[in-house]
Amino acid sequence: MADPRYRQIAEALRRQIEGGELRHGDQIPTELELREIYDASRNTVRDAVKWLIARGLVETRPGQGTFVVEKIDPFLTVVESVAGFGAGEGTASYASEVAAHRRKATVSDPRIEVHQADTYVAGELGLEEGALVISRAQRRYIDGTPWSLQTSYYSMRYVEAGARRLIEAVDMPSGVLNYLAEDFGIEQGTWRDRIVVRPPDGGEAFFFKLPDNGRIAVLEIHRTLFEKSGIPLRLTITTYPVDRNEFVMTGGETSL
Amino acid sequence: MADPRYRQIAEALRRQIEGGELRHGDQIPTELELREIYDASRNTVRDAVKWLIARGLVETRPGQGTFVVEKIDPFLTVVESVAGFGAGEGTASYASEVAAHRRKATVSDPRIEVHQADTYVAGELGLEEGALVISRAQRRYIDGTPWSLQTSYYSMRYVEAGARRLIEAVDMPSGVLNYLAEDFGIEQGTWRDRIVVRPPDGGEAFFFKLPDNGRIAVLEIHRTLFEKSGIPLRLTITTYPVDRNEFVMTGGETSL
DNA sequence: AACGATTTGTTCGTATGTATC
DNA sequence: TGATACATACGAACAAATCGT
């Protein structure tokens, strides 16, 4: 009784959704019908629907109606395999992510930029702020739907040492790390991950086709990879929409 | 011009907030003042404020006003240290998380329960669904504010093998893993992490004092730790409110 | 292609309740 | 206790999107 009317109506609908009476994709009663069912004004039932929207339970489609949101099949992302078998690189581990669910992964050719490192990138790569870095940004899709954005930052010193393919806008299926290891003897060592959940910016919201309902977020995994010597090799920032992914990381000592 | 009035007002306020004219904690104009400033009805300016609330930019306090939300100092959580130095256990790694920022960490005594494993727990621990498991649940605080909820699940076989302290409701500062290793020779091996972002349930919202504005989420890290032999040792689920944490994980091969 | 019916979106007005100082 | 500020609720009108005829 203490609860306001719009909350009572919203909770009643929520019970129907979570109880299975209204299933994913179903249309819920129209505002006019809800007005009669609960004997409330249209504005009040609209407040109830807004409360459900804010919690991601329903979505409205102008001219059509209000629908229970589709549950998205979570996709399992393997971020790391067992230590000692090497940090999975680029396309290789990405393909293995997809294999588990037999979906088709595609990767855009990288967009290459050379620019000055901001405070964060410089700090992670152990460079002076403003030092030149190469960024390689790729869009990754699964079954044609946008799945993640990935940008890797490298110090210019690898290019100066001859690794010119770093600044070529071509995907390296065998991996940048293999290229650096085989041709230049640069071996990877430890890595460090940082996980951040934050609201998306406009470009991300557009790329991931995120609804503009305020309850959305993206998850970022920042991986700083070091050379065997301990020098930072690269920083990779991968951005995922939070509603489409589960992440699995494996590591630690292994008995194999 | 195409945008509705409430959006225009909301965007104007958003620019003032992000541009620094309105700072964190500041009160924004009252609804009556906004009504005069933008020459709109009270309901319209309220719609604008609701839009800002949904995006986490402001919060309302009945009887007081509407305020720009305080930016929370992100706390750096070290989830894993370098492989080969062992998966950081309970209190030990938790204390090290806190040390970096000189904050005071406290942990509640665990709430112990013996119950039947559901599908997920049974699957992770390699048990039959319905098999008996021990759960040890703790609340963790930093400087007195709730910081995370942690529940660990163990198979009953460790208790049957004599590890009776597993079912005692006392915090083990030296760690459960040390106890199992030193007294019973059970050594830890690989681990696997799963990361999930989801809406909080009622208990979590209460514990973390999360505002009921629909845009909140919690981040769960599920760590399945294996014995050296490959048998699952325990499943630990740690739940964090997403607005208070950043996570750092380190691992991989090390050159030390 | 045009139209009408349906449904949600926006905006206003108004009244009353509740929380805080 | 009164003043201020946000919360809830109702009614009304028109706009915009969608769909079927």
Side-chain angles (χ1 to χ4, degrees):
Chain A
M1 318 309 167
D3 272 5
R5 280 285 277 288
Y6 79 93
R7 278 287 293 274
Q8 296 177 24
I9 298 171
E11 296 285 3
L13 289 168
R14 188 171 64 87
R15 281 193 295 275
Q16 290 180 47
I17 292 169
E18 293 177 352
E21 292 169 67
L22 291 167
R23 283 180 296 185
H24 300 293
D26 280 2
Q27 180 172 11
I28 73 172
T30 68
E31 292 172 355
L32 246 60
E33 288 166 343
L34 289 174
R35 207 189 78 174
E36 296 192 350
I37 294 171
Y38 295 101
D39 189 31
S41 77
R42 186 176 163 223
N43 280 329
T44 300
V45 304
R46 290 201 87 225
D47 282 344
V49 171
K50 280 180 195 166
W51 191 87
L52 295 170
I53 292 172
R55 278 148 192 80
L57 293 172
V58 304
E59 64 184 1
T60 55
R61 301 182 203 148
Q64 295 186 54
T66 304
F67 300 82
V68 181
V69 295
E70 297 284 353
K71 203 182 63 180
I72 297 177
D73 186 13
F75 178 74
L76 207 63
T77 297
V78 177
V79 176
E80 185 50 53
S81 47
V82 177
F85 286 82
E89 153 63 24
T91 311
S93 82
Y94 186 55
S96 78
E97 294 172 15
V98 178
H101 282 56
R102 296 172 189 276
R103 304 201 217 190
K104 186 165 164 33
T106 52
V107 186
S108 73
D109 275 335
R111 181 170 49 77
I112 313 283
E113 287 178 5
V114 176
H115 46 87
Q116 294 186 305
D118 62 23
T119 310
Y120 179 70
V121 171
E124 290 296 302
L125 290 182
L127 303 172
E128 295 292 317
E129 191 172 336
L132 288 182
V133 293
I134 303 142
S135 71
R136 297 173 58 89
Q138 287 181 303
R139 296 182 296 278
R140 315 202 295 178
Y141 303 81
I142 289 174
D143 287 349
T145 62
W147 218 261
S148 64
L149 290 164
Q150 189 170 75
T151 303
S152 290
Y153 299 88
Y154 300 84
S155 162
M156 273 300 274
R157 72 167 171 277
Y158 296 115
V159 175
E160 288 158 2
R164 307 203 54 90
R165 287 177 60 192
L166 268 186
I167 51 174
E168 291 172 10
V170 179
D171 185 37
M172 281 188 246
S174 65
V176 172
L177 292 185
N178 280 342
Y179 169 60
L180 291 176
E182 290 172 9
D183 292 13
F184 301 92
I186 294 162
E187 300 284 345
Q188 59 174 302
T190 328
W191 45 261
R192 181 176 63 213
D193 279 343
R194 186 185 305 270
I195 297 172
V196 179
V197 182
R198 60 168 177 78
D201 65 31
E204 291 160 345
F206 176 78
F207 176 69
F208 291 124
K209 298 180 176 56
L210 295 171
D212 183 25
N213 58 11
R215 69 179 310 282
I216 51 180
V218 293
L219 185 143
E220 272 183 354
I221 296 186
H222 301 214
R223 170 157 296 186
T224 307
L225 182 63
F226 299 89
E227 297 186 25
K228 274 233 165 71
S229 62
I231 302 169
L233 200 170
R234 74 165 169 198
L235 167 66
T236 301
I237 298 179
T238 311
T239 307
Y240 303 86
V242 293
D243 57 352
R244 296 175 198 175
N245 287 275
E246 252 180 45
F247 298 88
V248 173
M249 306 196 182
T250 50
E253 296 183 283
T254 174
S255 60
L256 297 179
Chain B
M1 319 311 162
D3 273 5
R5 281 280 277 295
Y6 79 93
R7 277 288 294 275
Q8 296 177 23
I9 298 171
E11 296 285 3
L13 289 168
R14 188 170 64 87
R15 279 193 296 273
Q16 289 180 45
I17 292 169
E18 294 178 351
E21 292 170 66
L22 292 166
R23 280 181 297 184
H24 300 293
D26 280 1
Q27 180 173 10
I28 75 173
T30 67
E31 292 172 353
L32 280 173
E33 289 166 342
L34 289 174
R35 208 190 78 173
E36 296 192 351
I37 295 171
Y38 296 100
D39 188 34
S41 80
R42 189 173 161 231
N43 280 330
T44 301
V45 302
R46 276 187 60 88
D47 282 344
V49 172
K50 279 182 194 164
W51 191 87
L52 295 170
I53 291 173
R55 277 147 193 80
L57 293 171
V58 303
E59 64 186 0
T60 55
R61 301 179 202 148
Q64 296 185 55
T66 303
F67 300 83
V68 181
V69 295
E70 297 283 353
K71 202 182 66 180
I72 297 176
D73 185 15
F75 178 74
L76 207 62
T77 297
V78 178
V79 176
E80 185 52 52
S81 47
V82 177
F85 287 82
E89 154 65 24
T91 311
S93 84
Y94 188 55
S96 77
E97 294 173 16
V98 177
H101 281 55
R102 297 171 188 277
R103 305 200 216 191
K104 188 167 163 28
T106 51
V107 186
S108 72
D109 277 336
R111 180 170 50 76
I112 313 283
E113 287 178 6
V114 176
H115 46 85
Q116 294 186 306
D118 63 22
T119 310
Y120 179 70
V121 172
E124 290 297 301
L125 290 181
L127 304 172
E128 294 291 318
E129 191 172 337
L132 289 181
V133 293
I134 304 141
S135 72
R136 296 172 61 89
Q138 287 182 305
R139 295 182 295 278
R140 317 202 293 177
Y141 303 82
I142 289 175
D143 288 347
T145 62
W147 218 262
S148 64
L149 290 164
Q150 188 170 76
T151 304
S152 290
Y153 299 88
Y154 300 84
S155 163
M156 274 299 274
R157 72 167 173 275
Y158 297 114
V159 175
E160 288 160 1
R164 306 203 56 90
R165 287 177 60 192
L166 268 187
I167 51 174
E168 290 171 11
V170 179
D171 185 36
M172 281 187 245
S174 65
V176 172
L177 291 186
N178 280 343
Y179 169 62
L180 290 177
E182 290 171 10
D183 293 14
F184 300 92
I186 294 163
E187 299 284 348
Q188 58 173 301
T190 328
W191 45 260
R192 180 177 61 215
D193 280 342
R194 188 185 303 269
I195 296 171
V196 179
V197 181
R198 60 168 177 79
D201 65 33
E204 290 160 347
F206 177 77
F207 176 69
F208 291 124
K209 299 180 175 56
L210 294 171
D212 185 24
N213 60 10
R215 70 178 308 283
I216 52 181
V218 293
L219 186 143
E220 271 184 353
I221 296 187
H222 301 215
R223 169 156 297 186
T224 307
L225 181 62
F226 299 88
E227 298 186 22
K228 275 235 164 70
S229 62
I231 301 169
L233 199 170
R234 72 165 171 198
L235 168 66
T236 301
I237 299 179
T238 312
T239 307
Y240 304 85
V242 294
D243 56 353
R244 295 177 198 173
N245 287 276
E246 250 179 46
F247 298 88
V248 173
M249 304 193 183
T250 48
E253 298 183 283
T254 172
S255 60
L256 296 179

